[in-house]
Amino acid sequence: MRMYDILAKKRDGLTLAPQELEFFARGAADGSIPDYQLSAMLMAIYLNGMSDEETAALTDAMARSGDLVDLSPIPGVKVDKHSTGGVGDKTTLIVGPIVAACGVPVAKMSGAGLGHTGGTIDKLCAIPGFETQLEKERFFEIVRTVGLAVISQSGNIAPADKKLYALRDVTATIGSLPLIASSVMSKKIASGADAILLDVKTGDGAFMKTPEEAVALARCMVGIGEAVGRRTAALITGMDRPLGYAVGNALEVAEAIRLLGGEEIPDLREVCLALAAGMLHLAGKGEEAHCRLLAEQALKSGRALEKLRQMIAAQGGDSRVTEDPSLLPLAPVQKALTAWQDGFVEQMAAQHCGTASMLLGAGRAKKEDPIDYGAGIRFLKKPGDPVQKGEALAILYTSDAARLPQAEEHLRAAIRLSGEAPRLAPLLYARVTRDGVQRF
Ligand code: URA
């Protein structure tokens, strides 16, 4: 088999056989296919698309390109969750503890952030002492005893995706349905959970800009998961504005703790309860409405916060942060962005907000860049809120004052103020399961 022939076939819009997709995925993982041929193939897939069968075959080959984690030593139905990437998306830090507090084990492998989107592992690393690289035996032991552990994805989970994702990032081929579906599902399948809940984001800050594109991606991923025997469902959630009031690693951990401690943060709470209910339902805890009640009780009773505390302690972190979030790092240079007119906040474009936070030091422009865990943005206003000229809209945090001007420029570009109260885009759009699409 020759990569040249496979490329020519995809270039001409023909359908590839599973063996050809296997050859491509294996060659990406072991380095036997050069970057220029891999990149050409990615562009051919981007331009010509793939059938559902091709996407499923590529996913399977990518999942088998590295280690397949066996979670069977942990008793119970293990449920995983995956977000397609967002700004201010600290849901794993809230949903994981809620689900674990309801008796469903969560053994989660997460990634670092890249570009304007954040990653759970970077947020956890903001907690002093927290260890994200654990031996498998210790990881399993914590899940068995605490019910929840979150570690960084090992280097050898779906290495084909690792290679292809890095090339997609620099060849303008990220926003392709079959490439996103195979990337996400290969990692989820290799990570070993029995059931998978996907949080497919839509809106300005998401890869899928419209709800219809997000539903199409969700249907494809649900089909792939179910075909390999994993119960899979997806929620389509809004990412036209950041979730909650905090963007940046330590700031987001603090916000997650405050929500688990009972603070009212409506948009974040709503999305987290919907995701937790979805995970509990997939784990066989009953009808969705009943699962929602279970999740609300775990949150209200403080049991979920206690689970987070136990997990932080078990993974070597300073668990006192759950009682006193001021123990988390906070960058010393702080600047307020103030309203330039009276009126209402009409828009806070998520992508620009994410870029502003990254420029303050909270994220990486390149994989090797160090992270300033205390950097980020704390919003004081959200879309729909009334504002007066001169009132603070947000506080920017950084350790390097030279970063402020460019970040402020992005944040200013993200925010639109207007004279009239805006109509807000929904937070929850649809649920996609093997039985079809339920729109809210
Ligand atoms: N998340 C992933 O893991 N892969 C993609 O391609 C997009 C989002």
Side-chain angles (χ1 to χ4, degrees):
M1 207 174 291
R2 289 193 323 151
M3 192 58 210
Y4 182 93
D5 301 324
I6 298 173
L7 267 172
K9 228 172 140 179
K10 196 71 237 159
R11 177 201 62 200
D12 295 341
L14 301 174
T15 301
L16 295 175
Q19 306 86 286
E20 291 168 319
L21 291 160
E22 168 97 37
F23 182 86
F24 166 60
R26 198 155 8 94
D30 67 16
S32 58
I33 301 175
D35 286 3
Y36 50 83
Q37 285 186 318
L38 295 175
S39 301
M41 177 72 165
L42 291 169
M43 188 56 84
I45 294 174
Y46 185 94
L47 294 174
N48 288 331
M50 290 211 289
S51 67
D52 285 352
E53 291 72 26
E54 285 177 294
T55 307
L58 177 60
T59 307
D60 177 54
M62 285 165 65
R64 285 185 293 97
S65 68
D67 297 342
L68 294 172
V69 180
D70 175 12
L71 295 179
S72 62
I74 302 168
V77 180
K78 276 75 64 184
V79 192
D80 201 350
K81 134 182 189 299
H82 186 89
S83 151
T84 55
V87 177
D89 182 359
K90 67 281 292 174
T91 55
T92 295
L93 304 177
I94 299 161
V95 173
I98 293 178
V99 170
C102 294
V104 171
V106 179
K108 185 143 180 54
M109 282 168 235
S110 290
L114 189 65
H116 76 279
T117 65
T120 301
I121 287 302
D122 296 332
K123 301 181 214 292
L124 287 169
C125 285
I127 301 170
F130 194 93
E131 190 50 69
T132 60
Q133 284 176 343
L134 300 179
E135 291 298 327
K136 192 173 87 182
E137 288 66 33
R138 179 71 187 134
F139 175 51
F140 284 9
E141 190 189 322
I142 297 173
V143 180
R144 270 195 299 264
T145 52
V146 173
L148 166 70
V150 183
I151 59 169
S152 52
Q153 193 179 284
S154 95
N156 209 31
I157 296 281
D161 175 60
K162 207 169 179 188
K163 177 74 193 179
L164 294 176
Y165 195 89
L167 288 176
R168 285 166 60 206
D169 205 26
V170 292
T171 55
T173 51
I174 292 274
S176 146
L177 190 153
L179 293 178
I180 296 178
S182 53
S183 165
V184 170
M185 292 308 289
S186 61
K187 285 179 290 214
K188 292 294 103 181
I189 291 166
S191 299
D194 306 302
I196 302 160
L197 182 72
L198 301 160
D199 177 7
V200 181
K201 305 285 188 194
T202 182
D204 148 85
F207 295 120
M208 297 287 127
K209 303 292 178 206
T210 67
E212 284 323 304
E213 286 173 316
V215 166
L217 174 64
R219 287 181 94 126
C220 177
M221 294 197 289
V222 168
I224 292 170
E226 292 283 343
V228 295
R230 314 288 172 97
R231 288 293 315 277
T232 309
L235 275 181
I236 312 296
T237 67
M239 189 35 75
D240 63 310
R241 52 198 187 262
L243 201 48
Y245 287 84
V247 180
N249 301 293
L251 290 166
E252 292 191 40
V253 175
E255 184 170 54
I257 289 169
R258 290 205 311 276
L259 187 128
L260 289 168
E263 194 172 310
E264 199 42 47
I265 306 168
D267 60 344
L268 183 59
R269 182 176 190 274
E270 191 49 38
V271 171
C272 286
L273 285 174
L275 291 170
M279 286 175 78
L280 293 169
H281 177 62
L282 284 177
K285 286 282 180 185
E287 289 305 316
E288 199 92 22
H290 173 68
C291 290
R292 164 87 188 207
L293 281 179
L294 294 178
E296 282 176 7
Q297 281 159 7
L299 184 60
K300 200 167 164 207
S301 63
R303 281 186 289 121
L305 180 60
E306 173 56 16
K307 273 290 160 224
L308 180 69
R309 193 196 64 73
Q310 290 172 7
M311 179 190 83
I312 292 174
Q315 293 192 228
D318 184 350
S319 61
R320 292 174 306 161
V321 298
T322 57
E323 284 131 45
D324 182 5
S326 73
L327 293 170
L328 290 161
L330 191 61
V333 182
Q334 304 176 5
K335 177 151 194 241
L337 177 70
T338 54
W340 44 93
Q341 67 170 75
D342 289 346
F344 291 86
V345 180
E346 186 185 334
Q347 192 188 42
M348 279 182 167
Q351 177 146 1
H352 268 305
C353 294
T355 304
S357 173
M358 184 192 84
L359 291 169
L360 289 167
R364 304 174 184 81
K366 300 189 298 301
K367 261 201 152 71
E368 318 66 56
D369 289 348
I371 292 249
D372 178 357
Y373 290 109
I377 303 165
R378 193 162 57 83
F379 292 98
L380 303 173
K381 302 284 177 191
K382 290 284 299 268
D385 287 346
V387 285
Q388 287 185 342
K389 188 174 174 183
E391 223 183 333
L393 297 167
I395 314 279
L396 293 84
Y397 295 82
T398 182
S399 298
D400 178 0
R403 290 175 172 269
L404 277 173
Q406 215 193 345
E408 195 176 336
E409 197 181 306
H410 270 274
L411 193 55
R412 219 172 250 282
I415 300 176
R416 203 157 61 213
L417 303 179
S418 75
E420 281 171 37
R423 254 190 74 219
L424 297 182
L427 277 174
L428 301 174
Y429 285 88
R431 179 183 296 119
V432 179
T433 65
R434 60 185 174 186
D435 301 324
V437 182
Q438 182 196 353
R439 287 168 213 275
F440 303 132

